[in-house]
Amino acid sequence: MKSPIGIFDSGVGGTSIWKEINRLLPNEDTIYLADSKNAPYGEKPKEEILHLSIKNTEFLLEKGCKLIVVACNTATTNAIDYLREHYDVPFIGIEPAIKPAALQTKTKKVGVLATKGTLASSLFHNTSKLHASGIKVFEKEGHGLVELIEAGQLHSPETKKLLQDYLNPMVEAGIDCLVLGCTHYPYLIPLLQEMLPTNINIIDSGEAVARQAKTVLVKNDLLNDGNPPFTHQFFTNKDVSILNKFADITRASFLDF
Ligand code: DGL
């Protein structure tokens, strides 16, 4: 099916997922929507996250998307059940990778850095209870990190200071896995690798999301059967130049939504 895959996030963070999807499914057209004007979602009440997720979904459906990737842990954990119930296309979501971390940890101590909205959600709690029994999970809200990443501050002293404040206690407590529970945070991996002891594995779910998208496309007979060129459209309601930088391309468009 020639229609595009739709991908949305509260901002530029979901481009980390877009890259994984494009790597695994290079013959697919995509449309990426960055709702940066409304970032961070993680500090908003559930009803507002739901309202914004509906708006983003309807935008992508109007563009004819055949599958929607909710490239945002906060939107997934607060809105994906509703979206799946109310729209006909398949949805792929992203949640903090507690299960792989629980399987990998040797110290039985795992850290999760995510937004307030994700950590407060019942979906996160249920996943954590299901997969991390017998494991000590250190949860930390990453207040301020999404704003810094949206401003392109991936390596600034301020970003480093916040990460130290958030992570030092769990590092001292002996975690050996750190789950990045927000699609913005993979952009901090170079800084995290400098800061963290080398025995700590940094885990994110981007690749798993792309694999799941492929599985669902195959199962529903939705893979692109059209010919190249394959097109990638990027829309933002804030700063086009920032989105271009994160997406490594130069074709984002401004959209007032
Ligand atoms: N990328 C979003 C996530 O994965 C960031 C949420 C926010 O805007 O606070 O949760």
Side-chain angles (χ1 to χ4, degrees), residues 9-10 13-14 39-43 71-75 115 118 146 181-184:
D9 179 35
S10 63
Y41 281 12
E43 304 290 326
C72 174
N73 292 260
T74 312
T115 68
T118 294
V146 166
C182 170
T183 55
H184 282 69

Side-chain angles (χ1 to χ4, degrees), residues 176-196:
D176 63 355
C177 289
L178 173 66
V179 176
L180 302 183
C182 170
T183 55
H184 282 69
Y185 300 166
Y187 287 110
L188 300 176
I189 289 176
L191 177 57
L192 286 167
Q193 282 170 335
E194 275 173 36
M195 291 170 50
L196 293 174

Side-chain angles (χ1 to χ4, degrees), residues 4-136:
I5 296 175
I7 302 163
F8 78 80
D9 179 35
S10 63
V12 297
T15 56
S16 62
I17 307 298
W18 177 84
K19 285 173 190 164
E20 298 290 353
I21 289 172
N22 191 235
R23 209 182 335 254
L24 192 68
L25 293 160
N27 294 347
E28 293 293 330
D29 297 321
T30 64
I31 300 181
Y32 183 91
L33 178 61
D35 189 15
S36 291
K37 190 175 78 181
N38 292 304
Y41 281 12
E43 304 290 326
K44 296 186 190 309
K46 184 181 168 77
E47 304 72 56
E48 200 176 341
I49 298 168
L50 182 59
H51 165 75
L52 294 168
S53 301
I54 291 170
K55 203 164 73 136
N56 296 337
T57 296
E58 294 195 345
F59 172 84
L60 293 170
L61 290 178
E62 269 164 34
K63 296 259 175 214
C65 292
K66 61 186 173 187
L67 169 134
I68 292 183
V69 179
V70 182
C72 174
N73 292 260
T74 312
T76 299
T77 51
N78 286 279
I80 201 157
D81 290 345
Y82 179 96
L83 298 176
R84 286 190 170 131
E85 226 170 90
H86 288 82
Y87 299 96
D88 282 339
V89 295
F91 285 86
I92 309 293
I94 180 162
E95 285 180 67
I98 289 274
K99 189 179 173 187
L103 292 172
Q104 275 181 41
T105 178
K106 294 193 175 62
T107 60
K108 304 286 177 214
K109 290 175 186 167
V110 163
V112 182
L113 185 65
T115 68
K116 185 177 168 190
T118 294
L119 294 175
S121 69
S122 48
L123 190 55
F124 173 76
H125 277 287
N126 295 341
T127 307
S128 193
K129 217 185 290 164
L130 189 66
H131 297 297
S133 68
I135 310 277
K136 172 91 181 122

